Amino acid sequence: MPNAHDPQLLKGVLSLLLLCLLAERESYGYQLVQRLREIGLSDISDGTVYPALTRLEREGRVTSRLVTSRSGPARKYYRPTEAGYAALAQGTVHWLSLADVVNPVLSRPIPAQPAPPSEEV
Amino acid sequence: MPNAHDPQLLKGVLSLLLLCLLAERESYGYQLVQRLREIGLSDISDGTVYPALTRLEREGRVTSRLVTSRSGPARKYYRPTEAGYAALAQGTVHWLSLADVVNPVLSRPIPAQPAPPSEEV
DNA sequence: GCAAACTACCTTGCTATGTCAAGTAGCAGG
DNA sequence: CCTGCTACTTGACATAGCAAGGTAGTTTGC
C-alpha cells in the first residue's frame, strides 16, 4: 500500500488540485476522480470529489454545464471562473508558503533520540 | 497580511510539526506556540496547539512532565515517545508523497485561460 | 421486454481537527 | 489588591474528507 494517504493532510489541498486540473482542462466529476487517481491519489473516493465540486460552484469558483452523453447520464462539465483562477493563484501561494514552513522543519536533523530506557520488566 | 494561511491546509500538518519540534527539543505548550510563530506560522493560536498536544498525548505519541516555573504556573514539557518517533517518520513520508502529487500539478503550465467575455454592463 | 453491468451524479451521517472565546491560576510590580 | 504576563484548559462551532447508499441513463445479452 504505497498510497495510504492521511485524510487530514488532504484537507484544503483537494479543492486546490481540482481548480488546477480544471484550469488545465474542462472536466466532469467522474473524470476528475479518474484524473486524481492517475496522478497518485489512488484511493480517493467520489463521495469526496462531488461535494468538493459543489462547494467550489457554490463559492463561485467554477461554473458547470451539462452535456448529454451517449453512454450514460449527462455529464456535468466544470471549469474555473475568474474568481476560480484567482483562488488558484492564491491557494498556490498558500500551499507553497506552508511547504516553506514544513519542509525546512522536516529536514532538520533529529538530535539523537534518547534511547528509551530499556524498561527491565 | 502575508500570512493569512488557509486553516484547512494546516490540518494534519500541525501534529506532524509538533512532533518534529519536540523531537528537536523538549518543550512546553506555550513555548511551542512561540516556536511555531517563529518558523512562520505567525497567526497560529494557542487554542489550536494545546488540544493538538492533548491529542498527541492521548494517542501515546508524546509524554509530558510538569516542571514548576518561577514566573508563572507550572510548565508541561512534552517529548515524543517511541511511537511518536515512528509517527513522525511515517507522517513525513505521507507529507512528502502528498507534495509529490501536488507540486507537479501546481507547476504544470496553465493553458491560455479563455478570456472571459467582457460582460458589457 | 427485462435484468445486469457500467457510467455518472448526488446525499446523508460520521469523524477529525483547527478556531474562537472564555475561564482558571500562579506570580510580579505598582 | 489590581493589573498584566505566563500557562494551561475547556466548550461551542465550522470545515471538509470519507464510506455507504441512492437515483438514473445506456448498453448488452437472453
Side-chain angles (χ1 to χ4, degrees):
Chain A
M1 40 136 249
N3 207 310
H5 71 86
D6 182 344
Q8 296 304 326
L9 278 183
L10 196 57
K11 297 225 170 177
V13 183
L14 179 63
S15 55
L16 180 58
L17 284 177
L18 288 175
L19 275 176
C20 214
L21 291 179
L22 290 177
E24 207 170 66
R25 171 156 38 106
E26 190 183 34
S27 300
Y28 54 96
Y30 196 80
Q31 187 182 18
L32 284 167
V33 175
Q34 294 170 329
R35 291 180 70 190
L36 287 170
R37 290 199 174 124
E38 273 164 31
I39 64 176
L41 264 43
S42 47
D43 47 3
I44 197 135
S45 95
D46 61 333
T48 298
V49 175
Y50 285 113
L53 286 170
T54 307
R55 273 197 305 276
L56 284 173
E57 187 169 26
R58 174 163 30 89
E59 294 162 355
R61 305 210 216 277
V62 299
T63 31
S64 62
R65 63 194 179 98
L66 277 176
V67 177
T68 57
S69 161
R70 285 185 311 170
S71 64
R75 296 164 172 176
K76 204 169 183 177
Y77 280 85
Y78 292 90
R79 66 174 181 165
T81 59
E82 260 186 294
Y85 281 104
L88 172 54
Q90 185 165 353
T92 302
V93 170
H94 282 157
W95 165 264
L96 291 177
S97 75
L98 180 65
D100 258 12
V101 168
V102 176
N103 286 326
V105 175
L106 288 187
S107 58
R108 289 212 285 255
I110 298 174
Q113 307 89 317
S118 57
E119 300 279 3
E120 311 269 338
V121 187
Chain B
M1 35 139 252
N3 207 312
H5 72 85
D6 182 345
Q8 299 304 327
L9 279 181
L10 196 57
K11 296 219 173 179
V13 183
L14 179 62
S15 54
L16 180 59
L17 283 177
L18 288 175
L19 275 176
C20 213
L21 291 179
L22 290 175
E24 207 171 65
R25 172 155 38 106
E26 191 183 34
S27 300
Y28 53 98
Y30 197 79
Q31 186 181 18
L32 284 167
V33 175
Q34 293 170 330
R35 289 180 71 190
L36 286 170
R37 291 198 174 127
E38 273 163 31
I39 64 176
L41 265 43
S42 47
D43 47 3
I44 197 141
S45 93
D46 60 335
T48 297
V49 175
Y50 286 114
L53 286 170
T54 308
R55 271 197 305 274
L56 284 172
E57 187 169 27
R58 173 165 31 91
E59 295 162 354
R61 305 210 216 278
V62 299
T63 32
S64 63
R65 61 193 179 96
L66 277 176
V67 177
T68 57
S69 160
R70 286 183 310 169
S71 64
R75 294 163 172 176
K76 204 167 183 179
Y77 279 85
Y78 293 91
R79 66 172 179 167
T81 60
E82 261 185 293
Y85 280 106
L88 172 55
Q90 186 165 354
T92 302
V93 170
H94 282 156
W95 166 262
L96 291 177
S97 75
L98 179 65
D100 258 12
V101 168
V102 176
N103 286 326
V105 175
L106 287 188
S107 59
R108 289 212 285 255
I110 298 176
Q113 307 88 317
S118 58
E119 300 279 5
E120 312 269 336
V121 187

